[in-house]
Amino acid sequence: MHKIADKLMQVEARLQQASQLAHRQRDSIALLAVSKTQPAASLQAAFDAGQRDFGENYLQEALDKKHLLAAMPICWHFIGPIQSNKTRPIAEQFDWVHSVDRLKVAQRLSAQRPEALSPLNICLQVNIDDEASKSGVAPAELKALAQAVLALPRLKLRGLMVIPKPSDDPAQQRAAFTKARQLQDQLNQTLNIELDTLSMGMSGDLEAAIAEGATIVRVGTDIFGARN
Ligand SMILES: *Cc1c(COP(=O)(O)O)cnc(C)c1O
């Protein structure tokens, strides 16, 4: 069997075990294959093994691979930092954006989303550990950003995305994900909305994320192997 197909099966087994432990349905959690720096052939191998959602971080690299795989019915997610002068191809060519952390970017994505396409699915990236150097909206500014994004006609606000500080300690991993879930609960209550997406959990911490309610886990290394 192809190595990528094999690894996908191993990740699938982890997802099943983690969802069972959390008393959740397996199908309440989507697997996003994070394919940054991987060649199109690796995405093709994952696609052939049944994977349909792919996440990319670097715009030009993503567009090159999209072009090569144009015949495939892939759901494309942009998950990397966004320069505000490069929003148009994201608005035109992606189905989801997980890394929106400021209003200017959201406004441009909405204005540039083609009328022929459904509204762009958006997660707000939250700087959950409040690290000075990290991207993501500060928790204290999340509500105002969410309100402004909700008013943009060509975006569909779906939820939050977080990248906690890496940790090997399951308790510490879980604490950051708890915070994300609580922030989303608060938003839903105070704004009377129903955000349904928590994009959290990667190769090293997907079990903790699923225990805290992740609905999309973003896995790179454990599907495609280590990146250079
Ligand atoms: C690279 C990346 C991932 C995947 O990380 P792995 O540890 O390789 O699973 C997930 N989310 C984002 C935003 C990333 O940049």
Side-chain angles (χ1 to χ4, degrees), residues 99-176:
S99 43
V100 172
D101 64 358
R102 57 197 194 281
L103 185 56
K104 183 179 180 192
V105 162
Q107 285 169 330
R108 292 178 61 96
L109 289 171
S110 181
Q112 293 166 343
R113 181 66 168 174
E115 282 299 329
L117 301 179
S118 52
L120 185 58
N121 293 296
I122 298 292
C123 292
L124 300 179
Q125 182 175 352
V126 182
N127 184 357
I128 201 71
D129 296 310
D130 244 329
E131 295 173 274
S133 60
K134 269 263 194 88
S135 41
V137 62
E141 284 151 28
L142 175 60
K143 185 181 164 199
L145 178 60
Q147 277 179 305
V149 169
L150 285 164
L152 294 172
R154 302 294 297 141
L155 304 185
K156 184 169 172 61
L157 183 60
R158 298 297 299 271
L160 307 182
M161 186 275 256
V162 296
I163 311 174
K165 266 189 283 203
S167 165
D168 294 332
D169 173 11
Q172 199 172 323
Q173 291 173 358
R174 237 175 119 149

Side-chain angles (χ1 to χ4, degrees), residues 29-167:
I29 303 146
L31 173 60
L32 179 62
V34 176
S35 43
K36 62 176 177 239
T37 78
Q38 306 296 340
S42 294
L43 283 75
Q44 177 78 56
F47 180 89
D48 291 343
Q51 181 63 32
R52 291 294 176 269
D53 288 86
F54 289 86
E56 289 281 344
N57 294 59
Y58 310 112
L59 184 57
Q60 192 51 53
E61 181 198 330
L63 296 176
D64 291 346
K65 282 185 262 186
K66 272 196 96 239
H67 186 68
L68 288 168
L69 299 169
M72 263 37 96
I74 286 173
C75 183
W76 291 97
H77 301 240
F78 194 81
I79 64 173
I82 304 171
Q83 289 173 258
S84 58
N85 63 343
K86 301 232 174 106
T87 48
R88 185 176 294 279
I90 299 177
E92 291 177 348
Q93 301 204 45
F94 284 79
D95 303 293
W96 284 74
V97 182
H98 294 228
S99 43
V100 172
D101 64 358
R102 57 197 194 281
L103 185 56
K104 183 179 180 192
V105 162
Q107 285 169 330
R108 292 178 61 96
L109 289 171
S110 181
Q112 293 166 343
R113 181 66 168 174
E115 282 299 329
L117 301 179
S118 52
L120 185 58
N121 293 296
I122 298 292
C123 292
L124 300 179
Q125 182 175 352
V126 182
N127 184 357
I128 201 71
D129 296 310
D130 244 329
E131 295 173 274
S133 60
K134 269 263 194 88
S135 41
V137 62
E141 284 151 28
L142 175 60
K143 185 181 164 199
L145 178 60
Q147 277 179 305
V149 169
L150 285 164
L152 294 172
R154 302 294 297 141
L155 304 185
K156 184 169 172 61
L157 183 60
R158 298 297 299 271
L160 307 182
M161 186 275 256
V162 296
I163 311 174
K165 266 189 283 203
S167 165

Side-chain angles (χ1 to χ4, degrees), residues 13-26 28-29 174 181 200 206-215 217:
R14 285 172 68 192
L15 295 179
Q16 285 186 14
Q17 187 174 32
S19 51
Q20 221 164 41
L21 270 172
H23 305 289
R24 298 181 55 193
Q25 298 290 327
R26 166 64 188 90
S28 68
I29 303 146
R174 237 175 119 149
R181 177 171 49 76
M200 59 189 197
L206 67 86
E207 284 84 2
I210 287 171
E212 291 300 331
T215 64
V217 293

